Amino acid sequence: MLRKIRIPVQLGFLLLFLYLLIRTLGTGEDSLGSPVRIFLEIDPLVGLTTWLRTGALHGLLALSGITILLSFLLGRFFCGWVCPLGTLSQITARIARPRREERTSDSWRPSQRWKYLVLGAVVAGSLAGSLWTGLLDPLCLLIRSLTVGFAPPLERILRGGAALLASGPLGTLSEPAYRWLRDNTLAPRAPSYEQSALMASILLLLLALSWVRRRFWCRVLCPLGALLGAVARVGTLRLRQSESACSGCTLCTFHCQGAADPDRMGGWRPSECFVCGNCTASCAREGLSFGFGRPRLSAIFPSDWVRRTKPATTATIGGIEVGRRRLLIAIGIGAISGPIGRASPSRGQPPASLIRPPGAGTEYEFLDKCVRCGECMKVCPGNGLHPIALEAGPLALWTPALRFAHGYCEYHCTLCGQVCPTGAIPLLSQREKERTVVGLAYVDVPLCLPYAYATPCIVCEEHCPTSPKAITLVEAEVRGFDGAQKSVRQPRVDPHLCVGCGICEYRCPVEGDAAIRVYATGRTGEGGPFDFSLSRAAPRGRETEEIA
Amino acid sequence: MRLTLGAAAAGLATPLARMGETAWAEAPSSPLLAVAHGPSPAAITRAAIDAVGGIARFVSRGARVVVKPNIGWDRTPEQAANTNPEVVATVVRMCLEAEAKSVLVLDNTCNDARRCYLRSGIAEAVRAAGGTVEFFEENRAKKMALGGEVLKEWAVHPSFVEADVRINVPIAKHHGLANLTLGMKNWMGAIAGNRNRLHQNLDASVVDLGAFFRPSLTVIDGVRILTRGGPQGGSLADVRRLDTVIASADPVAAEARAVRLHGPGAIQPACISMAESRGLGRSRWDQAEERQIEVPGS
Ligand code: SF4
Ligand code: SF4
Ligand code: SF4
């Protein structure tokens, strides 16, 4: 019964998740208008760690408290019914291992305690200055991998395939279908991302682990699963096992997704149970059923802490025994990751080529909040935001930065602040956004065509969106290669007007290094080697009339 | 770093289907060009087109029409960076009245296409008029032999080549390099790839584009013109309201006439005389060949 309800609900959540991810797409309107980040907002690991790191819960993150409460009542239902990565792991396992005739049991193994060590390290890290959530939280990981790793190749295949079919005999059938998909799911310009192949590989690897053991990620590694498991352990959900009905066939444990040992009388593990209902459905003698009991609050504290009857060699998280030494090591690793991570780049000054999304405070303010979910990268209409590698130190791995070789920041756009679940990128009004400085453009005179080759080119000036334009053209008399005197217009950037949107760098026709490039100097709220923020405080001649 | 045009030319050129040589030979009764003036953009667009022979002269029944406005920038109609939406919609509506099979409107934009199509008001106006709006799909463009003087081959969106009738509907505005950007430069929105390289030889390039695309009809939007800060403007202080639309079967004449909208001192872009010398049209005409129409508001 439970299983029969669970399967459609679970598929429904997977589809909802994918739908919201696809809808994380600008329409041209100023506001996105749909709650695309809701899965991240109900994720208690995101809520807990960013709250520990910043002392505040942004926006709807408090919703994740509801998930905790529900898990207290219903166990790890989130893992079994809601989490899209769990569902995908399960589907992978199913594809690879069709039901076998010969049934072997699949009972709990000690490796399933590792996830508590991962959780310990993540929580300790967020207290000590490094927010690891983004690397290991299943929702962040999945959204980022799908956005950065899978969407671009899939889109390429779709567009390329449709173009091929269009000219063939199937064109009359394929074109309408393609047009519908294109108009409802794709941006006009196909995005591409840095580190795309790596992101895809990570997800493929995690899913492939399901071939080693079913739902390996959920059982062994997932820190969110560990958190919910600890809550489930002290909560009210119970599996009622009827000793008289049990014939000892172990079918229930064979079908159990979580390796929660439903066949062990009195040994069922609530912290591992996904409430998938496979066990109750598989028991031919109806010996199993779910019910509720009194909360096991005592499980929070291990009995030996109270009685000290034996030497303390184990520690517990929500009553789950993990080796105390191992837990200390995990917490230690998490705790020193903060100071170690913050040692580089020195003084928290990332390289000047690193341009953060608009409004993203100082580097540490940003790193304290960004969970690297990649929502901003998905929504960015200019395909400007990409996950970075290690250039800004280990704490910044896979956080977003503007890469003007691939895209730019659309002047009137405020979408990244609308989708960011933690406020790492603040929600700016359009007017505020237009005044938010992310960097400053520099003309590379030896590369710039009018300077270096006396060749006309005004592309940067043409595209500069500020009004008045931050790029002015200065008429200059130069000698061409033929020795003749000629007049060219050379671009010059006014640092008081430039916001660093980077469309000039992106559109500059000089390939390789563009001849005009944006560096993170003097961005809003931060100094820098060339800090124009003081003179920018009183913008000179910026457009006065309201832009609708 | 590639500095020369055409260096990218690979052997991929698809043989250019001969672009339809639509009969824009002047019908005896129609003037060379018409300049309509009045408060309603729709009414003056209609009047100007009617005065040069009516839409039926250009669009025959069952024709597939592509209309190319300027939708390049994330700006509102008041900012005069994109073609006026009512002008575009009127052209579309007239084509459909002439029983065109389809009227497609698209542009390869400079800002995010979704924002441009929306904020320009063009997508909505065209749809309301019964036309089709599409985004420019880069991967559908095909490398074609343009046979130009500087543009030997370039990737072109097939919608522009496959159409029976091309109608160019640019807006008259200032541009930092071309001084004024008018008709022929508008065709940059019909091609794909690194178009910004064309700026190195802008005049010759746009003449090549004008020669390749050969519109049947050119309708220049002078409802509002951008006098400075072009091509995308942003400041309403740079916008002047002229309430004018120019129509002509001769793209060079239309463009040359539109230069005068910017006042007597406006410098004629070099592409106009280059186009004339290549036989694309005339930049001089008798006063008798021009019809002025005043369309008072109701
Ligand atoms: S900045 Fe981007 S990647 Fe980071 S939390 Fe916000 S939306 Fe996610
Ligand atoms: S980086 Fe700029 S263009 Fe990209 S989503 Fe943010 S505001 Fe929009
Ligand atoms: S980055 Fe370039 S285009 Fe953007 S405001 Fe600065 S000068 Fe203008």
Side-chain angles (χ1 to χ4, degrees):
Chain A
M1 184 57 201
L2 196 58
R3 178 172 187 269
K4 280 208 185 107
I5 310 173
R6 189 255 307 162
I7 292 175
V9 171
Q10 197 179 6
L11 287 176
F13 273 115
L14 178 64
L15 292 178
L16 178 67
F17 172 82
L18 293 175
Y19 172 76
L20 292 178
L21 188 60
I22 287 169
R23 291 315 317 157
T24 310
L25 182 72
T27 56
E29 300 279 359
D30 296 331
S31 139
L32 206 55
S34 53
V36 294
R37 59 186 186 191
I38 194 79
F39 273 87
L40 290 160
E41 281 165 329
I42 59 168
D43 177 342
L45 189 67
V46 170
L48 174 71
T49 50
T50 52
W51 173 66
L52 289 176
R53 188 77 286 279
T54 61
L57 279 178
H58 174 77
L60 295 180
L61 277 179
L63 280 185
S64 63
I66 297 175
T67 312
I68 294 277
L69 279 179
L70 285 176
S71 304
F72 184 82
L73 295 172
L74 302 173
R76 280 175 77 179
F77 79 99
F78 184 89
C79 306
W81 293 54
V82 181
C83 178
L85 185 57
T87 307
L88 289 175
S89 303
Q90 192 184 321
I91 293 173
T92 327
R94 189 63 181 267
I95 293 169
R97 276 183 168 181
R99 223 170 270 181
R100 271 181 288 168
E101 271 316 296
E102 150 218 354
R103 295 177 174 125
T104 52
S105 188
D106 185 13
S107 42
W108 184 85
R109 293 189 207 174
S111 59
Q112 286 174 235
R113 293 183 305 202
W114 295 353
K115 60 180 173 292
Y116 300 101
L117 305 180
V118 175
L119 175 65
V122 170
V123 170
S126 49
L127 282 168
S130 55
L131 193 66
W132 288 22
T133 317
L135 305 186
L136 296 161
D137 176 83
L139 294 171
C140 298
L141 192 158
L142 186 60
I143 294 173
R144 184 181 61 235
S145 296
L146 292 177
T147 296
V148 174
F150 282 88
L154 285 179
E155 178 164 346
R156 230 142 278 236
I157 292 168
L158 177 67
R159 285 188 192 263
L164 272 183
L165 286 180
S167 46
L170 287 176
T172 44
L173 290 175
S174 68
E175 273 303 89
Y178 166 67
R179 276 161 198 272
W180 187 88
L181 277 174
R182 176 195 67 187
D183 296 340
N184 289 285
T185 66
L186 304 182
R189 185 161 75 95
S192 60
Y193 294 97
E194 290 182 4
Q195 306 195 63
S196 190
L198 178 66
M199 296 303 164
S201 313
I202 290 173
L203 181 58
L204 286 177
L205 179 77
L206 290 181
L207 292 179
L209 284 174
S210 273
W211 298 344
V212 179
R213 280 198 78 197
R214 220 153 24 128
R215 296 192 66 164
F216 185 97
W217 162 262
C218 314
R219 291 180 184 181
V220 178
L221 296 173
C222 180
L224 176 60
L227 178 64
L228 297 176
V231 174
R233 168 72 195 229
V234 300
T236 58
L237 189 77
R238 297 283 183 281
L239 182 69
R240 301 200 197 292
Q241 301 157 303
S242 156
E243 214 150 341
S244 55
C246 179
S247 68
C249 70
T250 71
L251 254 183
C252 52
T253 293
F254 170 73
H255 287 295
C256 174
Q257 285 183 12
D261 291 353
D263 66 320
R264 272 181 57 204
M265 287 303 143
W268 168 75
R269 298 167 186 271
S271 64
E272 307 304 305
C273 171
F274 300 143
V275 213
C276 69
N278 284 359
C279 56
T280 50
S282 67
C283 184
R285 307 169 65 134
E286 298 184 350
L288 297 174
S289 62
F290 278 97
F292 298 97
R294 287 234 308 275
R296 253 179 309 225
L297 292 176
S298 62
I300 297 174
F301 306 103
S303 46
D304 61 330
W305 283 14
V306 186
R307 280 187 274 121
R308 291 218 175 271
T309 49
K310 47 184 176 174
T313 54
T314 56
T316 66
I317 295 183
I320 294 119
E321 297 190 346
V322 284
R324 172 166 292 181
R325 186 175 308 165
R326 287 195 195 146
L327 184 64
L328 283 177
I329 290 174
I331 290 176
I333 289 175
I336 58 169
S337 69
I340 290 182
R342 287 181 178 234
S344 69
S346 64
R347 291 179 292 114
Q349 283 282 356
S353 55
L354 186 80
I355 314 288
R356 290 301 187 185
T362 61
E363 181 69 1
Y364 284 148
E365 280 165 13
F366 183 65
L367 293 182
D368 280 351
K369 291 184 189 155
C370 174
V371 291
R372 302 153 222 216
C373 58
E375 285 274 301
C376 53
M377 307 168 201
K378 174 76 177 70
V379 85
C380 181
N383 194 203
L385 292 174
H386 295 255
I388 66 167
L390 291 167
E391 73 218 56
L395 293 188
L397 180 65
W398 301 339
T399 53
L402 279 160
R403 299 292 210 218
F404 300 124
H406 300 272
Y408 64 98
C409 177
E410 190 71 55
Y411 186 55
H412 299 295
C413 167
T414 57
L415 293 178
C416 50
Q418 293 179 33
V419 298
C420 181
T422 61
I425 307 174
L427 184 58
L428 301 171
S429 72
Q430 198 167 318
R431 197 112 182 105
E432 284 167 335
K433 158 67 200 309
E434 286 154 17
R435 283 147 196 281
T436 299
V437 177
V438 298
L440 173 62
Y442 295 80
V443 178
D444 196 338
V445 167
L447 290 182
C448 174
L449 303 177
Y451 284 101
Y453 304 102
T455 298
C457 174
I458 55 142
V459 172
C460 53
E461 188 260 4
E462 183 182 15
H463 284 82
C464 181
T466 66
S467 178
K469 287 175 183 293
I471 300 179
T472 43
L473 297 171
V474 180
E475 197 93 41
E477 294 294 317
V478 293
R479 214 174 274 282
F481 293 115
D482 54 5
Q485 196 76 5
K486 60 193 242 190
S487 163
V488 286
R489 299 188 195 182
Q490 299 171 330
R492 186 169 298 174
V493 178
D494 184 339
H496 304 96
L497 294 172
C498 173
V499 294
C501 74
I503 196 173
C504 51
E505 177 171 343
Y506 175 58
R507 297 289 188 188
C508 174
V510 176
E511 289 175 17
D513 280 342
I516 183 164
R517 293 190 302 277
V518 176
Y519 291 95
T521 45
R523 60 180 206 176
T524 301
E526 212 178 330
F530 297 89
D531 184 0
F532 293 98
S533 55
L534 293 180
S535 43
R536 271 196 182 116
R540 183 172 63 68
R542 222 186 259 282
E543 56 196 306
T544 43
E545 73 264 21
E546 202 68 43
I547 305 281
Chain B
M1 198 163 81
R2 280 197 297 261
L3 292 175
T4 45
L5 294 170
L12 289 166
T14 37
L16 166 64
R18 189 151 176 75
M19 303 272 286
E21 275 185 12
T22 337
W24 54 269
E26 285 153 46
S29 56
S30 325
L32 176 69
L33 79 168
V35 183
H37 181 262
S40 157
I44 56 177
T45 306
R46 187 173 284 274
I49 294 175
D50 283 344
V52 291
I55 193 74
R57 179 182 160 203
F58 309 99
V59 176
S60 46
R61 234 181 114 207
R64 288 170 307 163
V65 182
V66 65
V67 174
K68 169 64 179 74
N70 189 328
I71 329 178
W73 308 99
D74 180 9
R75 299 286 192 206
T76 60
E78 294 70 39
Q79 291 168 323
N82 303 312
T83 310
N84 184 293
E86 289 179 65
V87 172
V88 185
T90 305
V91 172
V92 170
R93 198 167 284 126
M94 292 178 81
C95 293
L96 290 169
E97 285 162 11
E99 292 180 60
K101 182 166 166 235
S102 60
V103 185
L104 176 66
V105 177
L106 79 167
D107 189 14
N108 189 356
T109 61
C110 297
N111 289 124
D112 176 44
R114 290 159 286 186
R115 291 193 66 93
C116 297
Y117 276 50
L118 189 91
R119 288 236 300 173
S120 67
I122 291 176
E124 204 192 331
V126 168
R127 284 201 193 98
T132 314
V133 184
E134 257 182 36
F135 291 134
F136 187 102
E137 273 188 273
E138 192 84 19
N139 80 319
R140 288 281 163 120
K142 290 196 180 73
K143 199 163 263 187
M144 292 181 194
L146 302 194
E149 279 175 7
V150 292
L151 295 184
K152 300 295 179 217
E153 61 178 21
W154 204 274
V156 177
H157 197 287
S159 293
F160 292 98
V161 183
E162 286 159 8
D164 304 312
V165 178
R166 279 170 294 280
I167 302 182
N168 193 12
V169 193
I171 177 171
K173 61 181 171 178
H174 165 264
H175 183 268
L177 197 58
N179 289 319
L180 299 167
T181 128
L182 301 163
M184 288 178 277
K185 186 168 184 295
N186 199 31
W187 292 116
M188 281 180 69
I191 63 172
N194 187 350
R195 305 175 283 159
N196 294 320
R197 287 196 285 138
L198 303 191
H199 286 72
Q200 293 153 36
N201 200 345
L202 191 65
D203 288 309
S205 302
V206 300
V207 174
D208 284 347
L209 291 177
F212 178 75
F213 287 107
R214 278 181 195 267
S216 309
L217 171 65
T218 301
V219 179
I220 298 185
D221 162 24
V223 174
R224 294 182 184 85
I225 64 164
L226 197 54
T227 55
R228 267 184 313 136
Q232 63 167 316
S235 169
L236 297 186
D238 300 335
V239 175
R240 252 179 50 222
R241 197 162 172 139
L242 296 184
D243 291 324
T244 303
V245 164
I246 298 168
S248 177
D250 179 335
V252 181
E255 185 150 357
R257 181 62 182 79
V259 172
R260 303 220 306 259
L261 297 179
H262 290 262
I267 306 162
Q268 178 157 303
C271 63
I272 292 183
S273 53
M274 291 165 77
E276 182 168 31
S277 65
R278 282 182 47 192
L280 300 183
R282 297 191 282 149
S283 70
R284 265 168 245 278
W285 54 91
D286 280 346
Q287 206 47 47
E289 292 175 284
E290 174 178 327
R291 181 161 312 163
Q292 302 267 358
I293 309 143
E294 196 62 39
V295 189
S298 48

